[in-house]
Amino acid sequence: MEEKAKVLEVKDLSVSYTVANVKTHILEDVSFAVSKGKSVGIVGESGCGKTTTMRAILNVLPSNGNVEKGEILYCGEDVLKMANAKLQEYRQKGAGMIFQDPSSALNPVISIKNQFLEALKYAHKDKKLTKAQLLEKAGKSLEAVSLADPERILNSYPFQLSGGMRQRVCIAMTLAAERQLLLADEPGTALDVTIQDQILRLIKQLVDSGELSVIMVTHSLGVIRQVTTEVNIMYAGTMVEGGDTKKVFEHPIHPYTEALMNCLPKLTGNGIAEGIPGRIPDYSNPPKGCRFAPRCPYALKKCQNERPVRHEVDGDHWVACFQAEEGRS
Ligand SMILES: Nc1ncnc2c1ncn2[C@@H]1O[C@H](COP(=O)(O)OP(=O)(O)O)[C@@H](O)[C@H]1O
Ligand SMILES: [Mg+2]
């Protein structure tokens, strides 16, 4: 199989937050990659560190957040080491993010037109496009996200648009800026389910057309199955299993993945509810071994004390679990 160019590579990323002098070690050795034109999922319960991972990728961690180690390579260049100008360019032309709640991404007091102009002016700086040309790009991208009457949208303020429309506007901005990578952090979950569904379909369409690479963050396995070709299962700041979405779904190996899948039929809306007994560990004093060990029905002695490393199960499917390595007794 032909190896596609990597748009993004996250390598051994560890991130902590400090609150009132107490440091919590949230992400630990998170690694995954996104190839050109692919859609990669990250799934895990709430509090597992999904949003932290996205923020780190854009290099916009909150001020109490700290990258302890690791690399985030965008087209081979480390985002964490980029100088300001380069970083700005990366955010304007490289990666864009859409959020759970689309109202947070748009400035409420600036018209959509001016927000587009501001974003596109930088993204297309080298091409020296006129204002009319930039607005034409904006209009086209609004049409591409199925917003009829782009003219009216451009002349609106965010509060005049519905949540679904604002989410589409954010995606349109990413398209118009010709960014390569879209970070979708539980897109549309603050919105109506039908609107959410439309947004997901739109993202899938964009991926299928080869225009965008996407990281889809969600707690819904249904969304992962629908939209992604590769998936990473995240538990308490660590990646526990991953690979080809179909393979992982057909043959989940990590006890956490298995538990996620098992609680699925009992849920409405494909979420992850109280299905798995126990809770995420305290990040200020995380388990020494596997972070899932305290909740794992199959935990071995070794699991309490040592960190499992990932090993290949099959071509594009890996798992980090001692018990899977040694065979369940
Ligand atoms: N700014 C912050 N300061 C301290 N802790 C934080 C901050 N942001 C997130 N956290 C903590 O980090 C953990 C992971 O959060 P988050 O990345 O938002 O997870 P997810 O998106 O998977 O729900 C949670 O325990 C959360 O409370
Ligand atoms: Mg989140």
Side-chain angles (χ1 to χ4, degrees):
M1 205 168 61
E2 186 197 346
E3 182 82 347
K4 281 216 165 187
K6 299 255 190 301
V7 175
L8 188 84
E9 262 186 292
V10 176
K11 290 185 174 171
D12 299 323
L13 179 69
S14 297
V15 172
S16 68
Y17 290 114
T18 303
V19 178
N21 289 323
V22 178
K23 199 184 238 192
T24 52
H25 297 274
I26 309 287
L27 302 188
E28 196 182 70
D29 291 326
V30 165
S31 299
F32 69 101
V34 185
S35 300
K36 199 166 164 47
K38 292 282 179 191
S39 170
V40 173
I42 299 181
V43 65
E45 285 163 290
S46 171
C48 277
K50 305 182 296 294
T51 297
T52 301
T53 307
M54 292 304 102
R55 283 175 162 271
I57 291 171
L58 265 192
N59 201 344
V60 289
L61 280 174
S63 57
N64 66 331
N66 185 42
V67 174
E68 300 284 333
K69 71 178 180 67
E71 287 177 322
I72 297 170
L73 306 176
Y74 175 75
C75 299
E77 212 175 319
D78 196 343
V79 172
L80 301 169
K81 290 187 184 139
M82 283 180 185
N84 270 342
K86 189 85 200 172
L87 193 59
Q88 209 179 7
E89 189 185 304
Y90 161 66
R91 294 196 194 118
Q92 276 146 0
K93 298 205 276 198
M97 183 147 160
I98 55 170
F99 301 87
Q100 216 162 342
D101 173 9
S103 48
S104 58
L106 295 167
N107 189 325
V109 298
I110 301 179
S111 71
I112 301 293
K113 184 192 273 177
N114 284 335
Q115 297 197 48
F116 258 104
L117 285 174
E118 196 56 32
L120 299 189
K121 195 168 74 191
Y122 287 104
H124 298 293
K125 200 166 58 191
D126 315 335
K127 296 181 206 145
K128 302 218 181 332
L129 300 182
T130 63
K131 189 171 159 183
Q133 285 170 316
L134 291 177
L135 285 175
E136 196 189 317
K137 267 191 188 296
K140 281 215 176 104
S141 67
L142 287 169
E143 277 168 15
V145 299
S146 307
L147 281 171
D149 203 355
E151 191 65 31
R152 184 179 73 83
I153 306 274
L154 286 171
N155 286 316
S156 309
Y157 284 83
F159 74 88
Q160 294 170 307
L161 305 176
S162 70
M165 288 164 116
R166 287 196 293 255
Q167 192 76 270
R168 280 166 200 265
V169 167
C170 293
I171 298 174
M173 280 187 181
T174 288
L175 290 180
E178 291 166 19
R179 291 188 186 125
Q180 298 233 4
L181 178 64
L182 177 69
L183 310 178
D185 191 357
E186 314 219 15
T189 44
L191 308 171
D192 196 277
V193 271
T194 47
I195 308 286
Q196 194 184 327
D197 218 50
Q198 287 168 11
I199 300 288
L200 290 173
R201 244 179 292 147
L202 169 64
I203 292 175
K204 185 162 167 26
Q205 242 172 40
L206 294 172
V207 172
D208 290 345
S209 71
E211 282 175 65
L212 264 184
S213 304
V214 174
I215 302 177
M216 173 63 71
V217 166
T218 176
H219 57 258
S220 162
L221 293 171
V223 169
I224 291 290
R225 196 154 29 184
Q226 215 183 316
V227 181
T228 72
T229 49
E230 275 164 62
V231 64
N232 296 281
I233 312 287
M234 192 165 198
Y235 180 73
T238 60
M239 296 293 196
V240 297
E241 181 164 3
D244 179 81
T245 303
K246 237 178 155 171
K247 287 189 182 175
V248 175
F249 272 80
E250 274 167 15
H251 188 45
I253 293 172
H254 198 284
Y256 179 63
T257 316
E258 197 181 49
L260 279 185
M261 308 254 172
N262 284 342
C263 68
L264 189 65
K266 294 180 218 132
L267 306 169
T268 51
N270 281 355
I272 296 162
E274 270 53 73
I276 307 171
R279 50 170 60 214
I280 294 177
D282 174 5
Y283 286 109
S284 60
N285 185 20
K288 200 164 100 210
C290 171
R291 286 190 170 183
F292 190 59
R295 275 171 99 177
C296 182
Y298 313 103
L300 310 166
K301 192 149 198 268
K302 192 177 180 182
C303 305
Q304 319 283 355
N305 302 312
E306 287 171 51
R307 277 287 145 79
V309 289
R310 45 174 89 184
H311 68 274
E312 294 274 320
V313 184
D314 162 12
D316 31 23
H317 185 183
W318 60 265
V319 66
C321 174
F322 288 124
Q323 177 270 332
E325 243 173 291
E326 298 184 3
R328 231 172 255 181
S329 48

